[in-house]
Amino acid sequence: MSKRCYYETLGVARGANPDAVKSAFRKAAKECHPDRNPGDASAEHKFKELNEAYDVLKDDDKRAAYDRYGHAAFESGASRGGFEGGAGFGNFADVFDDIFGEFMGGGGPRRGGRSRGADVPYNMEITLEEAYTGKPTTITVQGAVACEACTGTGAEAGTKPATCQTCSGLGRVRAQQGFFTIERTCPHCHGQGRIVKNPCRSCNGAGRTAKERQLQVTIPAGVEDGTRIRLTGEGEPAPRGGTPGDLYIFVSVKPHALFQREGADLYCRVPLSLATAALGGHIEVPTLDGGRSKVTVPEGTQTGRQFRLRGKGMPQLRGGHAGDLYIHCVVETPVHLTRLQKELLREFEKAGTEANNPESTGFFHRVKDFFERSKA
């Protein structure tokens, strides 16, 4: 049976750049990796095909030879030896680590290093006022902590974990499968590189115990909705003395009854009475710091006009000038009128001229011109 085209195997075009080749290989190899498909012969065969195709197409010289001669370029013994030697799959575990990171270890330690504890998320909801002033607070975190009796090693006091003899402390072992070498997490030490012969009685050798913790946290002034705050080393401890993970606080800001925020600026929608909008006057508006500011409304103010109060917005998270507060005016049409009010409005309407309503007058003039042009 003839071999499939390497480009077809990876699902890329012949002119695909190296990044596209690498991305296609990574995606396909994840799906059919033997660790994900134990006992599946077809997945293992496909995985071998992908490795062979990628080994050729990622190398400029091999790819050029393949483009010119096809599979015949590698039919000699010397060419086939490349898949077993320095550039072939004998070192593929190194290539696979570079591409997939911790995928092969299922989140376990990298070779030659200890594992890392899990990161812990924490959701915090605050008010807009708290985002304005900042908020020192205490949070309660449920989770694992390093065992105090064994200081996180998992070994009984007075003893130490021993180096795993199966993997020589690397935490990973290799197994030969035909032409290929597959690297997996060590089954004896489970990737730790060490064996606890005398487990701690307090934590049963896990190095961790469940405990409720309280942490002092300061939410900075100016924090925005969706901000992520990282507390290094405050996540879960790693098994048996590894590096602890981090705690990530995800901040959400509650909607406010008066103010809407856009970056460092605040917006406040303020209704104006018909008389105030027409005659002008003064209004008092609230500010987020709890104060009040007086705003002068000129005669003839229309809906949509904005007034800016400089420096009355949100503080900048990383310093600098504070944002501004924008007052957005909305002229309110009176409702529930009495008979007298209606009569007065009718008299007002009769006494009005086009100059009193320039916007509507201009609009209806344009409408009239539109219909006249349509008839012509």
Side-chain angles (χ1 to χ4, degrees), residues 35 49 63 86 106 143 165 176 190 199 236 304 321 323:
D35 285 352
E49 285 187 330
R63 183 172 179 176
Q165 299 300 312
Q176 193 75 25
H190 304 290
E236 287 195 359
H321 299 291

Side-chain angles (χ1 to χ4, degrees), residues 98-118:
D98 291 340
I99 296 175
F100 288 94
E102 297 181 351
F103 169 71
M104 290 187 68
R110 299 296 299 271
R111 285 174 294 163
R114 293 186 184 179
S115 60
R116 182 179 182 276

Side-chain angles (χ1 to χ4, degrees), residues 39-224:
D40 188 337
S42 62
E44 183 177 348
H45 177 71
K46 185 177 180 182
F47 187 65
K48 292 178 181 179
E49 285 187 330
L50 289 168
N51 293 333
E52 181 177 327
Y54 180 65
D55 189 84
V56 170
L57 298 186
K58 72 181 176 66
D59 184 282
D60 291 340
D61 293 335
K62 290 182 180 180
R63 183 172 179 176
Y66 179 74
D67 288 343
R68 186 171 184 180
Y69 301 109
H71 293 295
F74 307 102
E75 287 179 354
S76 68
S79 296
R80 286 199 303 271
F83 292 100
E84 298 177 11
F89 189 68
N91 286 333
F92 183 73
D94 298 330
V95 178
F96 209 65
D97 268 349
D98 291 340
I99 296 175
F100 288 94
E102 297 181 351
F103 169 71
M104 290 187 68
R110 299 296 299 271
R111 285 174 294 163
R114 293 186 184 179
S115 60
R116 182 179 182 276
D119 294 330
V120 176
Y122 185 92
N123 296 323
M124 177 184 291
E125 188 176 55
I126 63 175
T127 64
L128 189 60
E129 287 87 351
E130 290 170 336
Y132 179 83
T133 60
K135 181 185 179 182
T137 185
T138 300
I139 64 174
T140 300
V141 181
Q142 302 281 353
V145 297
C147 175
E148 295 180 0
C150 65
T151 64
T153 64
E156 187 66 26
T159 66
K160 293 182 179 180
T163 301
C164 175
Q165 299 300 312
T166 302
C167 64
S168 301
L170 295 177
R172 306 175 76 86
V173 293
R174 290 184 175 185
Q176 193 75 25
Q177 294 185 3
F179 288 104
F180 305 102
T181 301
I182 304 297
E183 186 177 84
R184 294 189 176 92
T185 301
C186 176
H188 290 87
C189 66
H190 304 290
Q192 299 302 314
R194 300 181 300 169
I195 298 292
V196 175
K197 295 182 178 180
N198 298 300
C200 171
R201 284 172 288 184
S202 297
C203 63
N204 295 320
R208 300 180 296 180
T209 57
K211 186 178 180 181
E212 183 177 277
R213 294 182 295 148
Q214 290 190 330
L215 299 174
Q216 301 295 322
V217 179
T218 298
I219 304 300
V223 67
E224 296 189 42

Side-chain angles (χ1 to χ4, degrees), residues 288-306:
L288 192 56
D289 59 5
R292 298 181 180 182
S293 291
K294 184 177 287 188
V295 176
T296 299
V297 179
E299 291 183 8
T301 294
Q302 304 295 319
T303 291
R305 182 163 184 178
Q306 289 186 343

